[in-house]
Amino acid sequence: VVFFFFQAEDGIRDVERSRGLGDVDKRQVSTQSTWDLKNTKVLMGVDHRRLHKHTSKAKKTILSKNLYMKLLIRLFKFLVRRAGKPFHKAILRRLLLSKVHRPPMSISRISRLQKGKLDKTIVIVATITDDERLLEVPKMNICALRFTAAAKQRIIKAGGSVMTLDQLIVKNPLGTNTVLLRGPLTREALSHFGKPAGLPGAHTCLLYTSDAADEG
């Protein structure tokens, strides 16, 4: 007489789910508590449809074909990566601005703003112009994008110094002992922007021509 013994796999099951390792794995007790299982964070994938909401809106380059400006931007991008000083970041941000947002500054305005800062170098990312109403030009050390011929001559004659931004970086790479200035952004053309004059809530100024002014 031959007897056959079979293990009832279908009837004998443990609470733990099998991972395909046989009955030995089924009867092992898990060391992780139920509280840990509930608080375990599940790693999810990245939702690529929302990436556009986190992109930077800052300008990366300029539309101008000026080779000197492009080289300056490349230089200060390198300095921002390597040094990362607030001075380099401010200069780079102003270099990327449009020409309307880089208004020129006269030597008379600079002379007023440099009071108490005579030992510092004035840095301006714009053009420096002359002002004939200023009779005596004080001694000034100015670094700017460019200078008009008259302004440059008067500054040097007063005992000051003029330099460009690349010359400043060679002399003072970290921008220490400097003062950043910029010209006023308000201009006469802005008073004519907005709703047409005469409408409710309009604060724009009328634009008169020479003929209309004579008739009035």
Side-chain angles (χ1 to χ4, degrees):
V1 179
V2 181
F3 296 94
F4 296 94
F5 298 94
F6 300 95
Q7 186 176 0
E9 288 285 340
D10 297 331
I12 304 175
R13 292 289 183 180
D14 291 337
V15 179
E16 295 292 333
R17 188 176 180 181
S18 174
R19 293 182 296 173
L21 300 179
D23 295 336
V24 177
D25 181 75
K26 296 176 188 176
R27 303 178 192 280
Q28 289 179 351
V29 180
S30 176
T31 57
Q32 191 173 13
S33 63
T34 307
W35 187 87
D36 294 336
L37 290 173
K38 291 181 179 179
N39 292 275
T40 303
K41 293 183 179 180
V42 181
L43 298 177
M44 303 297 292
V46 179
D47 189 0
H48 293 281
R49 293 174 297 177
R50 297 180 62 86
L51 288 180
H52 66 279
K53 294 188 177 181
H54 304 284
T55 55
S56 175
K57 304 298 182 182
K59 289 179 65 176
K60 300 295 189 298
T61 184
I62 57 175
L63 298 178
S64 174
K65 297 181 180 179
N66 190 341
L67 182 60
Y68 177 65
M69 288 290 295
K70 290 183 178 294
L71 289 175
L72 280 180
I73 292 173
R74 186 175 179 180
L75 169 64
F76 278 92
K77 281 184 177 180
F78 172 80
L79 292 173
V80 167
R81 289 197 309 269
R82 292 302 181 92
K85 297 293 182 180
F87 173 77
H88 301 140
K89 294 179 182 179
I91 295 294
L92 177 61
R93 184 170 61 252
R94 296 184 186 188
L95 283 172
L96 292 172
L97 293 176
S98 61
K99 194 172 182 180
V100 175
H101 294 89
R102 287 188 281 108
M105 282 193 71
S106 63
I107 56 177
S108 60
R109 182 182 291 270
I110 298 173
S111 64
R112 293 197 306 269
L113 296 176
Q114 76 154 359
K115 291 181 180 179
K117 308 178 184 66
L118 300 177
D119 57 334
K120 297 182 180 294
T121 303
I122 308 298
V123 181
I124 302 169
V125 189
T127 303
I128 306 301
T129 59
D130 185 25
D131 190 354
E132 297 180 352
R133 298 171 296 180
L134 184 64
L135 302 179
E136 295 183 3
V137 179
K139 182 180 179 180
M140 297 182 291
N141 300 320
I142 304 177
C143 170
L145 276 180
R146 59 180 294 271
F147 299 83
T148 61
K152 184 176 181 179
Q153 182 180 1
R154 295 189 67 183
I155 293 171
I156 296 176
K157 187 177 180 180
S161 62
V162 295
M163 65 182 77
T164 55
L165 292 173
D166 53 332
Q167 293 173 345
L168 175 67
I169 293 302
V170 173
K171 183 179 179 180
N172 186 5
L174 297 180
T176 57
N177 200 28
T178 58
V179 177
L180 272 170
L181 297 179
R182 57 182 171 183
L185 294 178
T186 57
R187 53 198 177 99
E188 195 272 338
L190 296 178
S191 63
H192 305 290
F193 294 171
K195 291 183 177 180
L199 292 180
H203 301 282
T204 56
C205 298
L206 291 174
L207 187 61
Y208 293 100
T209 59
S210 59
D211 295 338
D214 294 339
E215 294 176 1

